[in-house]
Amino acid sequence: MNAERVSQGSYWLETAPAGAPAPPPDADVSVDVAVVGGGIAGLSTAWELARRGREIAVLEAGRLAAGVTGHTTVKLTALHTLIYDHLRRTRGPEGARLYAQSQNAAIRHAEAIVDELDIDCDWEEAAAFTYTENPQSVQELCAEAEAAREAGLPAEFVTETELPYPVAGAVRVSGQAQFHPRKYLLALADGLRRRGASVYEGTRVVGLTEGSPCTLTTEAGVSVRARKVVIATHYPVFDRALLFARLSPRRELVVAGVIDEERAPRSMYITPEQSTRSVRTAPLSDGRRLLIVTGEHFTPGTADVEERFERLSAWAKARFPEVTLTHRWATQDNDSTDSVPLVGPLRPGSHHTYVATGFGGWGLSGGIMAGRLLSDLVAGRAVEWSGLYDPRRVASVVREGGAFLKHQAEVVRHFVGDRIPPLTGLAPDDIARGDGAVVRTGTGQCAVHRDEHGQLHAVSASCTHLGCVVAFNRAEKAWECPCHGSRFAPDGQVLQGPAVKPLKKRDL
Ligand code: FES
């Protein structure tokens, strides 16, 4: 891919620009419920509560729907690759049924909101497929079709799709949807404001004191008091139950390009293999469609991202030779160790604080589901599927101890291994323009970036979350932490949590 002619940003952000940022609070605030995070989980929760008459404040560190939600591939489906066969084995048929019911209800709920608020967000009903080109994976897909059907979804095993290349088999679920996430969420935020909610952007929350009421503190020192607090920051910035031990960060790449209408698939596709490929299209204003291909996932800070973009682009061009690539971007999500999101009370014994995280790449249906679940919990209502998603669950985590231990071993490796000085360490003079590296200095390990003008910028290499050593992502010009996925700009500013503090500046 010729990177110079390809936009390096998300298509969703480019085609639904927000207006002027909503200013942060300039004085202390008191509300019923404070929602930290303005992505799909946070805004959906705020919306559900506002329509029930609650006084709401949404506190977003950056811009609304511009983080993970602004970079997704936007498949709104209850078919999450191979989840149902996994769930019926690990949580039983009832667990699989509750999962299907809650995720499918989220799609229908979003559809009703689009109708109610008359949102122009390119909503399209579409079928979702999990497919394979590998004959050896067909058995798995047959089992998934059966499990998804048992769980209550309109699922079937098929061997034909509209893709322009043969597949060995696929699970098909009809009645799913795709849409423009920013158009949807910016309209939802407008609806929130009309209902009297306060929506703050550029407002990073750095402190939480639980109580009656709870008190949040912003970076600027403003206090927000709230009877209930919802942490919907993707990776929880307040992690009183040590959920980080049960979450693995995963970064994933996206390439997109223009394709003629008659050659564009209308359904949504994903492969179950290790290096997943996901395909969908979106309508363009000139009648053609945007082909969106996702894949190449990796742990932040551990991959040659440029090489992976090349590989994904080559795959897209080989399968869709007529596509002209126009965009590329990356997204990030967290996988929970038992593959089920963590949505509910923030920690054992908490009565006023809630969390939503661990959507494993399925944050759209998951975020809308979380909004409904958390708003019911805040209102004190019983919800049939709350036990399935309860972050305090232990049985399934114990059952899936292998995934838990594997993740912890990785984290320990970075905690310990990355602190050992490399045998052939780089010096700042070795760093090319546009690149960055961790170098040893007299004061410890420094993360050094040389900008396109040749200027060096040095910050501490120690992540401000729990101290792992960051690594440079040259393709996206960011420092990334492999332990829990925090990301920082070259000057150390936080791009993505769980870290809430910037990397400290260093003199070389
Ligand atoms: Fe946890 Fe860096 S994100 S140590």
Side-chain angles (χ1 to χ4, degrees):
M1 186 196 296
N2 183 344
E4 277 156 25
R5 289 167 39 204
V6 171
S7 167
Q8 306 289 309
S10 156
Y11 171 80
W12 312 119
L13 293 176
E14 188 181 296
T15 51
D26 53 9
D28 291 353
V29 174
S30 219
V31 288
D32 287 338
V33 186
V35 178
V36 185
I40 193 156
L43 289 174
S44 297
T45 307
W47 171 253
E48 300 304 325
L49 289 164
R51 78 198 311 186
R52 290 177 188 179
R54 297 300 181 105
E55 204 181 355
I56 305 293
V58 177
L59 306 149
E60 164 56 44
R63 301 298 310 270
L64 295 178
V68 174
T69 304
H71 292 81
T72 69
T73 46
V74 203
K75 294 152 94 178
L76 193 47
T77 173
L79 180 64
H80 297 173
T81 317
L82 298 179
I83 188 77
Y84 293 102
D85 191 36
H86 168 80
L87 282 176
R88 84 175 160 178
R89 281 184 278 111
T90 57
R91 307 292 291 266
E94 181 62 4
R97 185 188 73 76
L98 290 173
Y99 190 93
Q101 188 188 70
S102 57
Q103 300 287 337
N104 218 32
I107 302 167
R108 303 283 74 93
H109 191 68
E111 189 174 28
I113 290 174
V114 168
D115 279 349
E116 180 188 336
L117 298 181
D118 196 19
I119 302 175
D120 178 7
C121 61
D122 306 331
W123 182 277
E124 296 178 327
E125 186 165 314
F129 291 78
T130 300
Y131 78 95
T132 184
E133 296 175 65
N134 179 3
Q136 290 178 343
S137 299
V138 165
Q139 206 51 44
E140 269 183 316
L141 267 61
C142 288
E144 180 64 11
E146 181 190 278
R149 209 168 37 246
E150 272 176 25
L153 293 179
E156 58 180 334
F157 178 80
V158 297
T159 52
E160 297 287 327
T161 73
E162 61 182 330
L163 290 170
Y165 45 90
V167 304
V171 183
R172 179 185 191 277
V173 172
S174 57
Q176 312 296 288
Q178 49 191 7
F179 68 149
H180 192 306
R182 288 260 301 167
K183 290 181 180 173
Y184 173 83
L185 285 174
L186 294 179
L188 203 60
D190 285 343
L192 268 172
R193 292 187 185 99
R194 283 197 299 276
R195 287 180 178 263
S198 303
V199 179
Y200 302 108
E201 294 181 286
T203 306
R204 186 175 296 284
V205 174
V206 294
L208 164 66
T209 306
E210 293 184 62
S212 301
C214 300
T215 304
L216 294 160
T217 313
T218 72
E219 206 171 23
V222 170
S223 292
V224 178
R225 274 182 283 281
R227 288 197 313 104
K228 307 277 183 185
V229 170
V230 174
I231 308 297
T233 52
H234 191 236
Y235 213 114
V237 292
F238 302 109
D239 191 5
R240 306 281 154 91
L242 307 183
L243 294 181
F244 69 80
R246 291 157 57 191
L247 293 169
S248 309
R250 168 161 57 94
R251 200 147 182 83
E252 196 155 31
L253 305 182
V254 185
V255 297
V258 178
I259 189 168
D260 284 340
E261 216 244 341
E262 63 274 12
R263 293 183 180 272
R266 290 311 185 98
S267 300
M268 306 175 286
Y269 296 88
I270 193 164
T271 62
E273 282 83 19
Q274 185 59 27
S275 189
T276 312
R277 293 289 183 263
S278 150
V279 174
R280 65 156 282 198
T281 63
L284 293 169
S285 53
D286 62 4
R288 294 181 295 171
R289 307 229 1 137
L290 188 77
L291 176 76
I292 303 165
V293 176
T294 310
E296 292 293 327
H297 62 246
F298 56 93
T299 303
T302 65
D304 182 335
V305 179
E306 198 59 60
E307 187 183 297
R308 285 173 180 263
F309 265 127
E310 293 295 339
R311 203 151 57 212
L312 190 62
S313 302
W315 186 93
K317 282 184 157 287
R319 299 298 195 284
F320 300 89
E322 65 283 1
V323 70
T324 306
L325 294 178
T326 56
H327 292 75
R328 70 179 209 178
W329 68 88
T331 182
Q332 190 162 316
D333 211 333
N334 302 304
D335 296 324
S336 71
T337 46
D338 66 357
S339 305
V340 175
L342 302 152
V343 183
L346 181 61
R347 61 177 173 78
S350 69
H351 301 293
H352 308 296
T353 48
Y354 303 86
V355 70
T357 187
F359 295 112
W362 299 102
L364 288 184
S365 60
I368 296 163
M369 177 281 297
R372 302 185 71 206
L373 174 50
L374 292 179
S375 58
D376 278 344
L377 292 178
V378 167
R381 288 198 193 164
V383 193
E384 196 186 1
W385 51 72
S386 62
L388 177 69
Y389 296 106
D390 194 327
R392 299 165 301 182
R393 63 184 181 262
V394 284
S396 62
V397 176
V398 171
R399 248 193 321 266
E400 311 242 335
F404 174 82
L405 292 174
K406 185 163 164 260
H407 173 51
Q408 288 316 301
E410 266 303 292
V411 170
V412 168
R413 190 171 70 78
H414 289 297
F415 259 144
V416 179
D418 292 357
R419 284 169 168 73
I420 297 168
L423 289 174
T424 53
L426 284 171
D429 283 352
D430 302 326
I431 299 170
R433 290 178 186 227
D435 209 347
V438 172
V439 302
R440 288 196 66 75
T441 68
T443 55
Q445 299 198 88
C446 268
V448 182
H449 166 63
R450 187 184 294 279
D451 66 24
E452 300 299 343
H453 307 291
Q455 189 76 34
L456 288 173
H457 305 269
V459 290
S460 164
S462 180
C463 174
T464 55
H465 177 226
L466 291 176
C468 287
V469 175
V470 296
F472 197 65
N473 173 339
R474 187 162 41 95
E476 298 182 77
K477 303 282 180 283
W479 294 106
E480 296 179 343
C481 180
C483 284
H484 313 108
S486 289
R487 302 182 74 244
F488 305 87
D491 66 358
Q493 291 304 311
V494 178
L495 296 174
Q496 185 152 357
V500 293
K501 296 196 175 132
L503 298 174
K504 290 201 181 84
K505 294 255 191 276
R506 286 273 192 262
D507 289 328
L508 280 175

